[in-house]
Amino acid sequence: MFAYVKGKLAYKDPTFVIIDIQGVGYEIKISLNTYSQIKDEEQCKLFTYFHVKEDIQVLYGFADEAEKKLFTLLISISGIGPSIGLMFLSSLSPSEIINAIATENVATIQGVKGVGAKTAQRVILELKDKVGKESADMAGGNITSSSINTIRNEALAALVTLGINKVAAQKSIDKILKNSEGQISLEELIKLALKAA
C-alpha cells in the first residue's frame, strides 16, 4: 500500500519513529539498524511495509530498500512474524544475517531472541538461494555525547518494547555497561543485551 514515507522526524526512539507529513504523524516501527542510520536526521525517507491482521495494522519502516527486502524475505518464513523480523534486524546487521544464511551458521540465527533451532534451519533452507552471497554494509555509528544514564534508559525502554523482561533487561544492561566502562553506543548496548537476554 505505502512504498515509502518522507517527512520530518517528529519523534525518534530505537524501536519506532513518528514522521510528520503535512501535519499528519505516522507512527512507524523500525529496527535498530534503521535507527542507527537516521538518529541524527531531521528529515528522512523510510521504505515501508504495511502489515495488516484482523485486529492490527502496523507500518514498518527501513532506511533502505535492501533492508526492507531482507525483512520481507524473513517474514515469508513460517514461524517468523514482523516482530521477530524486526528482532533479527535489531540483533544483527543485514550483512551479518545474509552472511549467516549463506554460510549456514545456525548458531548465529538461533541467537536471535524468539528463534529456535527448527526455525533457524528453515531460514537457512528457504533463504539460502534467495540471498546468495549478497553483502550489505550497514554499520551503525557511535553515540559519544549522550550520558550513560540516558543511553541506559533508552536501551531499557527499547528492550522492554521488543518484549524483553524489564528486570532481565536491567541486569543485562548494567553488566554490559560495567564491562564496557561506559564506552558504548546505544545500538551496540541494545544488540549485546538482546544476545544476553
Side-chain angles (χ1 to χ4, degrees), residues 28-40:
I28 304 169
K29 291 194 177 230
I30 60 169
S31 68
L32 194 54
N33 178 66
T34 291
Y35 175 76
S36 69
Q37 293 182 62
I38 65 167
K39 68 176 187 253
D40 298 323

Side-chain angles (χ1 to χ4, degrees), residues 11-23:
Y11 181 80
K12 289 175 264 195
D13 181 88
T15 57
F16 76 96
V17 293
I18 296 174
I19 297 184
D20 185 316
I21 303 170
Q22 297 181 345

Side-chain angles (χ1 to χ4, degrees), residues 49 65-78 80 85 88-89 97-98 101 122-123 126-132 134:
Y49 175 84
E65 289 186 273
E67 185 184 11
K68 178 184 173 181
K69 182 182 175 191
L70 184 55
F71 175 79
T72 57
L73 285 173
L74 287 166
I75 65 171
S76 72
I77 306 293
S78 175
I80 297 181
F88 260 99
L89 293 162
I97 295 168
I98 289 168
I101 293 169
R122 198 177 306 128
V123 168
E126 293 186 31
L127 298 185
K128 193 170 194 310
D129 293 336
K130 293 179 183 174
V131 300
E134 289 177 49

Side-chain angles (χ1 to χ4, degrees), residues 151-164:
I151 288 176
R152 183 187 184 280
N153 292 338
E154 287 182 14
L156 181 60
L159 290 166
V160 170
T161 303
L162 288 168
I164 309 296

